[in-house]
Every structure is written in structure tokens, then in C-alpha cells.
Amino acid sequence: MMAEAPRTVAQLVDAQAAARPDAVYFLATETGRTLTFAELAASSRRIAALLGRIAGPPGTHVSIVMPNGLATLRLLVGAMAGGYCVNPVNLLSQPEQMRYVIDHCDSRVVFVAPDRAAKVREGVAGIEREILVVEVDPDGEALPGEEAGDASFALPQVAPDALALLMYTSGTTGKPKGVMLTQSNLVANARAISEEHRLGPSDRVTAVLPLYHINAFAVTMLAPLAHGGSLAMPPKFSAGRFWELATRHGCTWLNMVPTMVSYLLEGPTPPRESIAHVRFCRTASAPLPPEHLLAFQSRFGIGVIETMGLTETVAPAFSNPWEADRRRVGSVGKPSGCEARIVDERGRELPDGTPGEIAIRGPQVTPGYYKNPEASAAAFFPDGWLRSGDVGVRDREGYFFVTGRIKELIIKGGENIAPREIDEVLLRHPAVLDAAAVGIPDRHYGQEIMACVIRRPGTACGEEELRDFCVEHLGPFKTPKVIRFVEELPRGPSGKVQRLKLLDAATAPAGAAS
């Protein structure tokens, strides 16, 4: 009788530990530290036992404010294996937003890197419930309070529909929304990724994306648990050292966002024979310009597989085929592990070739947003199909093409940014009467941020002053690259700013008024 397929993170870990206990799952490229599947299974039990002592019973929410590293990965996998819900906090968040996320997600414990501990403690001080803050070296081999004897701790029985991940993503209101993802959601997509890309135990991926991003979380961390492969993780992405990482550590596939492709195209070209073992490069999180795709394939001799997904679908929901001659440049591919269709504003399916909204249904689709029934209801059509917010078409052969956005989110380097969040910060400046942000094309990031600003009568402020103000309150990443001073903002009949019309200001001379 065949064993039942894994449906929880713990089952994925234990299945690999039983099948290939001594195989390496994780490799830290800077230190050479490795973690085998057997060690990961024991680590998960120690983490679960630790959380039982300091956090509470399984089901408790735990936040992690840490960059990539051995301890970060162990915490994420171990907590989920123990039945806890993890909340990886985006390190690009400013203190106000970070505090909101930790408060909103009902976290009881926050694990934080030492260099961020003071700000996290300051942020959670005003939250009514008691929150334990634990400092952890992201690259450390042991957590504070972790006991070696806990390696035999009996993991609880965790239901496949138990909440495993709360990942916050920018919403159109500027307040982040907590995407709820279950154990079975995560496992379903780990298996779909592995099958789609024909991955196996001999495959190793470059883990250069941050684990607080759904792409890295699902594709580089969880997918190898489904196919028995491994990941090679540096502290962060470096274009100058990327090919050394891939060659020295025997990576067979690359997982990147288009911004990274852009930077690699401007860097050195390694000898073709040194990267001959790399089977393919997959891209996601933002559209990859066709000219970059073709240039990458021509220059490095590595085929590119374009994919697309959402946090709400545990990253990829679409993928181009494995076979090179079946891939379509400019297409996000076909549904991967799910169903998809093009629908009208009422959710009715449209014929091939007709533009409409892309809708998705499948085992990796979120059940909704945490403590936000209104947003959850708005995210789905009445028949249960998830609204992607993307406008696209499907051709007669079933390939999907994204042609625009219904939502107004800015996608910069694979990160979603709510324009409203930028508007609200600019409006705090005493010289700003009104403001609206929009995404504009950018060679490296896909999109950059432009803000159109109306100054209050009798006041004076320049681009540099407003930019410094934004850096203080938003951080450099979300600060507008371009600021245009205008006399009015385009508004529709309801008074809402029509952001797409702001793009006309992008071609106006700097500082010009419209």
C-alpha cells in the first residue's frame, strides 16, 4: 500500500529525512555550514519544543524579523513543522508598518536579529498584549533556550488546513493585508513547483532572494523539501559574486527576479563551460522584459522560464513549460498546479483572445486575509475564483499573457508597494496640499516611483526636501525617484485620483507644472 502524500510541512521534512537522511538540504555559502534532512528533522523538533516553552501551544503566531541565514531558515521550517503560524516580517518595512504587522498578526514572540532588536522592542512597547522579543544571530547554529535533548520531541498532529504562514502584502489602502496560507497550501505549491520544473534530489538552487518574500519562501526553501534537492544561500544577492556562487556550489537552477537579471547582464560573463551544469533560470515576481530574457539566454546559454504568481497563491500559479521550444516569450505560461481563466467584471469566463481579469482556483489559493472579512470577500468572485487583479488574455493554446493591472500597486524589484502609503506620507509635509504616487518604467527595477505633488499656496519646497522627508518616514526603497510639481491631479467623477493619467507627468520637464 502506497504511503499517503505529505500534506503538512512536518510530513515533507520527515519524508525526506527517512528517504535521504544524510543528503544536504541547506548550504550557507559564506560559512560552509550545512544542514542535512536528518538534521533538519531534529532541528524542527528542537524548535517546536522551544516554542512550546516560550510562545504557547501549537497554533500560536510567531514573527521573525531576520535576514537570510541558517537560524532564520531553521526557525521558519521548525515553527511550521511544530504547528505554529510564522509571520516573516519584510525587512524593508519602516518601524510604523512593522509595528502594525506584529500587532495585527497577534504574534506572541518576535525573533529578531541583534541589529534590529532595539527598534523592534521600541515598536512593540505600545502593544497591549505581552510580546516576548528574542534576539537571534541569523547565522547562529543554536537559538537562545534551545536544548539538544529536544531532538526527540514528539511533534503534534497538525491538520492540513491549519494556518502555517501569515505574509503581509501591500494593499490599495496602504495598510498591509495578512495573507493566510495553510499547511496544505504550502505543500501543494512545493510539489507543483518541483513537478513543473522537473526537479529532483540532484538539483540545487541559488537562494539569493530574502525569505520574507513569498518567492524565496516557497520556491527556494519549501520546494526542495518536496523533491529532495538543496539550496545554496548567501547572506544577500551580489551581482559581482553571483556566478561564483552558482559554480562553486554546484547550483543546477537559478531563481531570480527581473531586477537581478538586469544587473547580471551588466556584469562579467563567466566561461560558458563553468556554468554548463546550470539547467535553467526561472524568473518571477514582476514581468521580465523580452529583450532581457533573450539577451540573458544568448549571453549565458541558460534558458529562462518565466513564471507568475501572487502571495495569495504561494508564489507561482503560472509557468512556461520545461521544454524550451514550447516557451512563449512575453507569456507567463500556463496554469501550474491550479486552474485559471479570463473573466469579465462579474466573473463570467471570456473566450480566448478576449481581454479580462485573470482568475485562479486551486489547492494553493489562500482562504483569505487575516481579520479582514471585507478584503477576503472582495478578493473572490462568488463562485470561489480568486481575483488576481491582473488584466490579461489567453490564447488558443492556453498560454496566458498579462496586459495590465486592475489594482494600482507599484511593483518595484518584485516588491508590492501601495501608492496610497506614499501619498499619506507626502501629505504630512506642511508644504504639500495634495499628492499621488504612481509606478513608472525602470530598466533595473521594472517600475520606479513617481509622485505628483501640489504645493500649498504661499509655501516652497523642492524635490530634495520632499525626498529627504520620504526617506525618513518610508525608507529609501519606497521613496519616489521622481517628484513632479503639478497644479492639479486628474480625478474621475467620484473624485478618485486617476493614477494612470499621472504618467503624462513622467515626460514633463523636471519641476514643471501641468
Side-chain angles (χ1 to χ4, degrees), residues 199 203-206 219 227 251-255 278 280 282:
L199 298 167
D203 283 305
R204 174 170 292 170
V205 62
T206 51
V219 180
H227 61 259
C251 296
T252 63
W253 61 295
L254 318 176
N255 184 43
V278 179
F280 67 94
R282 79 179 290 284

Side-chain angles (χ1 to χ4, degrees), residues 206-421:
T206 51
V208 293
L209 292 167
L211 290 172
Y212 58 74
H213 194 286
I214 191 63
N215 185 327
F217 193 99
V219 180
T220 60
M221 186 178 76
L222 292 182
L225 294 178
H227 61 259
S230 59
L231 57 110
M233 179 177 286
K236 61 182 180 179
F237 171 74
S238 167
R241 300 184 62 186
F242 180 82
W243 293 116
E244 178 189 1
L245 159 69
T247 55
R248 176 180 294 181
H249 301 291
C251 296
T252 63
W253 61 295
L254 318 176
N255 184 43
M256 295 191 289
V257 295
T259 301
M260 295 174 174
V261 171
S262 173
Y263 283 125
L264 289 177
L265 286 172
E266 294 190 354
T269 304
R272 188 67 70 89
E273 62 272 15
S274 72
I275 54 175
H277 59 281
V278 179
R279 300 200 293 130
F280 67 94
C281 167
R282 79 179 290 284
T283 65
S285 302
L288 178 65
E291 60 271 23
H292 286 185
L293 183 152
L294 296 173
F296 187 92
Q297 293 187 151
S298 174
R299 184 169 174 184
F300 302 116
I302 298 170
V304 176
I305 299 178
E306 289 185 88
T307 70
M308 188 194 86
L310 314 167
T311 303
E312 290 85 346
T313 62
V314 197
F318 296 88
S319 178
N320 268 273
W322 162 254
E323 300 86 356
D325 60 355
R326 294 179 56 213
R327 300 173 197 157
R328 301 285 177 85
V329 175
S331 169
V332 297
K334 296 184 176 184
S336 175
C338 62
E339 302 173 82
R341 61 187 186 184
I342 304 295
V343 299
D344 64 15
E345 65 277 2
R346 295 184 181 180
R348 297 175 298 195
E349 188 167 12
L350 295 170
D352 290 340
T354 305
E357 184 172 5
I358 298 175
I360 303 164
R361 183 173 67 182
Q364 72 267 60
V365 173
T366 176
Y369 300 104
Y370 189 60
K371 297 193 304 189
N372 197 337
E374 296 82 8
S376 297
F380 292 88
F381 288 106
D383 57 0
W385 287 75
L386 175 71
R387 304 187 64 164
S388 71
D390 290 300
V391 178
V393 296
R394 181 180 61 196
D395 68 14
R396 288 182 297 178
E397 295 180 46
Y399 289 83
F400 283 72
F401 295 80
V402 178
T403 58
R405 293 281 296 169
I406 293 173
K407 299 176 183 177
E408 295 176 333
L409 291 177
I410 298 166
I411 304 178
K412 177 182 174 180
E415 292 284 343
N416 289 349
I417 300 172
R420 175 81 171 271
E421 181 184 358

Side-chain angles (χ1 to χ4, degrees), residues 147-163:
E147 298 178 3
D150 288 333
S152 59
F153 177 79
L155 293 177
Q157 293 294 318
V158 179
D161 62 355
L163 192 59

Side-chain angles (χ1 to χ4, degrees), residues 65-80:
V65 187
M66 296 167 59
N68 285 3
L70 172 62
T72 307
L73 179 139
R74 290 182 57 234
L75 268 170
L76 292 170
V77 175
M80 291 188 294

